[in-house]
């Protein structure tokens, strides 16, 4: 059954948009007039605690393409995407895309890796992005480019696109059932974790050597870093207490600081989480019910174990304080996981092929991203904060982006899917150009459906380059077959 939330494109005026928000009972700030040039709130530079300047308030979120070589090098598709990141005009490039620190941590056999053997191609990928930015905007002194370091943990598929080879920190009965993972799967040992920490530190060193300004120690979306934060039931030094669950991060950060002086550090993390959602008989997502012997849901960092439908920010705030104490300079707030509750991470009108119809109007999801980001931002003093989940705002993205930054709710507006269909959107906004409506992301989710079916990712509906690829027909065929 298709849900019938009004699509954003049909809310043709500010008043219709605001009336809809009122009906939904959520708030999203909105500036009626979007300013351009030097007076735009989005054009204001941001100075990191180390003194480094970032030229404006747009960030490009990490966006993977499932299009690297088997050896972990970029291909022409990857290079095109990264050049587009440079073209965007955004001055903060958050990580480019998830890059595995070693082969067993790849989310798919085509994920990029940062190894000795890939350093040269990764360096030229970064340089291509910077050159594209320089060609259009002259100045790159105020451009900050990071590399997102990852291990995919329970979502690792390093060898065969369809075959999970999970590395887990604890047993999660719901995810094991959904993903058909045996409950005998061994849990990573403390010694294996210590070994992995070394891989992160060496990966950061490589990133610094080839010119990246910062590394993101990824802790979001159900991947390994995120799983540490919810290892409440894990025994030993990496599980249980808050101190133990953050030990992995602390050891990487202190290792990077000692091995890579001058390299800035960021952390993208899922600030709240919920149990997995599965389609009901009408294909609408419903939260699974699971309680342990104490009547609690024990697997959500930033969740309320007594009331898993709610979130709770006490540990999330403690985590932010820890990041500040450690000298981390940038944070990027995401929520939940695109694998088991995608409507929260990526609010969308159309679900991806492995998903379900959204159980809430996607605008509610956007409002949640903004509200949580605002709340967390009010607790930090030295961290640059990036918000996520703005692409669903579509035509109103500039109005909301300006409002959240102007009101000091967040420091940077991070753009994900909209960058695939319309990379130049930040530059258009900063220069006061009218947006090209035909290129605005309408959240068709083909960029997720394609890789879920083993194809490279891109914006098949709106980007002429992807429209012309043979894969575009394949995506259409897959979507037709799903409707039958
Ligand atoms: C095709 C695709 C690839 C993505 N790749 C990554 C990634 O490599 N690392 C990451 O942290 N998030 C990744 N994300 C999540 C985005 O960075 C972003 O958080 C999400 O799309 C929501 O933001 P948006 O509403 O602007 O799209 C990806 C999302 C999509 C759709």
């Amino acid at each position: 059954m298709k849900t019938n939330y009004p699509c954003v494109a049909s809310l043709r005026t500010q008043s219709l948009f605001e009336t809809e928000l009122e009906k939904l009972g959520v708030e999203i700030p909105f500036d009626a007039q979007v300013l351009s040039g030097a007076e735009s709130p989005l054009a204001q530079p941001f100075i990191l605690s180390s003194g480094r300047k970032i030229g404006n308030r747009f960030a490009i979120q990490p966006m993977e393409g499932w299009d690297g070589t088997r050896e972990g090098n970029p291909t022409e598709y990857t290079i095109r995407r990264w050049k587009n990141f440079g073209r965007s005009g955004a001055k903060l490039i958050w990580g480019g895309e998830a890059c595995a620190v070693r082969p067993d941590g790849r989310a798919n056999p085509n994920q990029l890796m940062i190894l000795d053997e890939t350093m040269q191609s990764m360096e030229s990928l970064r340089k291509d992005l910077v050159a594209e930015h320089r060609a259009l905007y002259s100045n790159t002194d105020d451009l900050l480019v990071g590399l997102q370091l990852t291990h995919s943990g329970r979502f690792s598929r390093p060898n065969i696109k369809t075959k999970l080879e999970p590395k887990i920190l604890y047993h999660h009965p719901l995810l094991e059932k959904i993903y058909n993972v045996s409950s005998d799967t061994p849990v990573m040992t403390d010694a294996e974790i210590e070994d992995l920490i070394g891989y992160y530190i060496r990966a950061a060193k490589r990133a610094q050597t080839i010119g990246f300004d910062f590394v993101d120690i990824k802790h979001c979306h159900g991947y390994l870093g995120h799983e540490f934060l919810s290892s409440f039931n894990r025994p030993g030094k990496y599980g249980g207490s808050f101190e133990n669950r953050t030990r992995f991060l602390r050891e990487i950060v202190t290792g990077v600081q000692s091995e890579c002086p001058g390299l800035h550090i960021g952390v993208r993390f899922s600030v709240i989480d919920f149990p997995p959602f599965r389609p009901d008989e009408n294909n609408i997502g419903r939260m699974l019910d699971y309680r342990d012997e104490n009547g609690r849901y024990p697997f959500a960092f930033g969740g309320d174990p007594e009331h898993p439908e709610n979130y709770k920010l006490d540990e999330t705030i403690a985590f932010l304080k820890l990041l500040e104490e450690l000298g981390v300079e940038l944070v990027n707030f995401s929520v939940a996981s695109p694998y088991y509750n995608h409507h929260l991470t990526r609010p969308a009108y159309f679900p991806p092929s492995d998903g379900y119809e959204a159980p809430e109007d996607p605008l509610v999801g956007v409002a949640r991203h903004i509200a949580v980001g605002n709340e967390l931002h009010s607790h930090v003093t030295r961290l640059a904060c990036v918000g996520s989940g703005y692409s669903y705002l579509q035509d109103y993205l500039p109005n909301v982006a300006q409002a959240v930054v102007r009101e000091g709710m967040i420091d940077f507006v991070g753009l994900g899917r909209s960058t695939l269909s319309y990379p130049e959107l930040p530059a258009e906004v900063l220069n006061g150009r009218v947006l090209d409506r035909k290129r605005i992301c309408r959240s068709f989710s083909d960029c997720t459906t394609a890789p879920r079916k083993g194809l490279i990712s891109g914006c098949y509906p709106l980007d002429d380059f992807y429209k012309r690829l043979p894969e575009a027909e394949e995506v259409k065929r897959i979507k037709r077959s799903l409707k039958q």
Side-chain angles (χ1 to χ4, degrees):
M1 191 179 89
K2 182 78 201 127
T3 44
N4 59 354
Y5 311 120
C7 56
V8 174
S10 73
L11 305 171
R12 294 199 78 102
T13 61
Q14 177 182 355
S15 140
L16 285 173
F17 181 71
E18 289 182 338
T19 309
E20 185 56 28
L21 295 181
E22 229 167 89
K23 265 196 246 163
L24 295 169
V26 296
E27 283 177 22
I28 295 181
F30 191 102
D31 277 359
Q33 199 201 348
V34 178
L35 303 173
S36 60
E39 57 173 342
S40 162
L42 292 163
Q44 303 314 307
F46 186 94
I47 312 290
L48 291 180
S49 51
S50 58
R52 176 73 190 259
K53 177 171 154 184
I54 304 176
N56 63 39
R57 303 308 188 90
F58 278 113
I60 299 300
Q61 298 285 25
M63 294 295 288
E64 244 188 292
W66 288 260
D67 53 16
T69 67
R70 288 274 163 163
E71 294 73 36
N73 294 304
T75 60
E76 59 177 305
Y77 300 109
T78 330
I79 297 167
R80 178 179 182 271
R81 186 171 53 260
W82 281 54
K83 281 187 177 171
N84 279 346
F85 296 166
R87 291 178 73 73
S88 70
K91 291 288 185 179
L92 176 56
I93 310 295
W94 188 288
E97 65 189 271
C99 190
V101 298
R102 64 181 201 196
D104 73 340
R106 292 167 108 181
N108 62 81
N110 298 94
Q111 186 165 53
L112 298 183
M113 288 191 281
I114 177 80
L115 309 173
D116 285 342
E117 301 76 21
T118 61
M119 276 171 79
Q120 210 180 343
S121 63
M122 289 300 295
E123 178 173 22
S124 94
L125 183 65
R126 184 195 64 78
K127 284 185 170 165
D128 283 343
L129 181 158
V130 174
E132 194 73 14
H133 189 87
R134 185 179 299 112
L136 287 165
Y137 310 108
S138 311
N139 187 13
T140 56
D141 296 345
D142 57 355
L143 174 71
L144 201 80
V145 184
L147 185 66
Q148 183 175 58
L149 304 183
T150 195
H151 186 294
S152 303
R154 69 170 67 241
F155 297 106
S156 300
R157 287 185 177 87
N159 296 304
I160 300 170
K161 286 177 181 170
T162 49
K163 187 171 168 238
L164 276 175
E165 298 180 45
K167 293 274 182 272
I168 58 173
L169 301 174
Y170 60 84
H171 287 286
H172 189 311
L174 296 179
L175 292 180
E176 283 172 4
K177 189 154 176 232
I178 296 170
Y179 286 98
N180 217 359
V181 169
S182 159
S183 54
D184 296 338
T185 305
V187 167
M188 280 181 88
T189 63
D190 287 358
E192 285 169 336
I193 293 168
E194 279 157 19
D195 183 49
L196 177 61
I197 289 169
Y199 279 84
Y200 272 83
I201 298 167
R202 289 191 291 280
K205 184 80 209 159
R206 292 185 192 109
Q208 183 179 36
T209 306
I210 60 177
F212 282 95
D213 300 305
F214 74 100
V215 286
D216 164 22
I217 317 295
K218 183 176 188 181
H219 271 61
C220 58
H221 303 160
Y223 296 114
L224 195 75
H226 187 200
E227 186 157 317
F228 273 100
L229 301 180
S230 63
S231 291
F232 298 96
N233 294 336
R234 183 188 163 94
K237 64 181 201 177
Y238 292 103
S241 66
F242 179 77
E243 193 195 351
N244 285 351
R245 284 179 284 118
T246 55
R247 187 181 305 280
F248 176 72
L249 174 91
R250 284 187 281 116
E251 292 185 353
I252 294 175
V253 169
T254 45
V256 171
Q257 284 167 334
S258 93
E259 295 296 316
C260 318
L263 182 65
H264 304 275
I265 300 178
V267 175
R268 185 169 208 213
F269 73 113
S270 288
V271 297
I272 55 175
D273 202 4
F274 300 87
F277 280 61
R278 301 302 291 157
D280 68 8
E281 58 288 358
N282 293 318
N283 200 33
I284 296 176
R286 297 286 169 227
M287 198 176 89
L288 297 183
D289 191 23
Y290 174 89
R291 301 290 170 149
D292 65 9
E293 60 284 6
N294 303 315
R296 294 155 63 89
Y297 180 75
F299 307 122
F301 176 77
D304 180 345
E306 317 290 341
H307 303 282
E309 67 284 7
N310 297 336
Y311 59 82
K312 223 172 157 192
L313 293 178
D314 46 353
E315 278 218 329
T316 312
I317 293 165
F319 188 65
L320 280 177
K321 302 269 178 221
L322 172 68
L323 295 178
E324 283 197 318
E325 277 162 31
L326 286 171
V328 168
E329 287 185 272
L330 305 108
V331 281
N332 189 324
F333 304 140
S334 188
V335 305
S337 165
Y339 288 103
Y340 52 81
N341 41 31
H342 59 79
H343 68 288
L344 302 162
T345 319
R346 305 174 183 171
Y349 195 77
F350 301 95
S353 59
D354 63 340
Y356 46 78
E357 293 287 335
E360 63 184 15
D361 187 308
L363 284 173
V364 176
V366 176
R368 185 183 296 107
H369 270 282
I370 291 175
V372 172
N374 178 32
E375 166 76 18
L376 295 176
H377 184 241
S378 72
H379 287 272
V380 302
T381 47
R382 297 192 300 278
L383 286 164
C385 299
V386 181
S388 303
Y390 294 97
S391 290
Y392 186 73
L393 290 163
Q394 307 176 33
D395 310 72
Y396 296 127
L397 197 159
N399 308 76
V400 176
Q402 178 175 301
V404 289
V405 169
R406 186 185 50 70
E407 290 185 20
M409 298 173 77
I410 202 79
D411 300 316
F412 291 87
V413 170
L415 301 181
R417 291 162 296 175
S418 69
T419 308
L420 299 182
S421 66
Y422 197 172
E424 305 84 357
L425 186 143
E428 310 270 56
V429 174
L430 294 168
N431 291 316
R433 295 194 202 106
V434 177
L435 293 189
D436 177 356
R437 298 195 77 225
K438 290 198 288 297
R439 299 181 67 201
I440 295 177
C441 169
R442 301 294 175 192
S443 71
F444 291 111
S445 291
D446 287 16
C447 54
T448 304
T449 290
R452 294 285 191 258
K453 297 289 176 185
L455 304 171
I456 57 170
S457 178
C459 185
Y460 291 97
L462 303 183
D463 179 346
D464 287 338
F465 178 86
Y466 282 89
K467 265 188 212 173
R468 284 195 288 264
L469 295 181
E471 284 86 347
E473 280 312 308
E474 183 60 14
V475 174
K476 279 189 200 149
R477 196 195 56 74
I478 291 166
K479 288 169 68 174
R480 275 196 305 271
S481 73
L482 288 171
K483 277 195 192 135
Q484 283 160 8

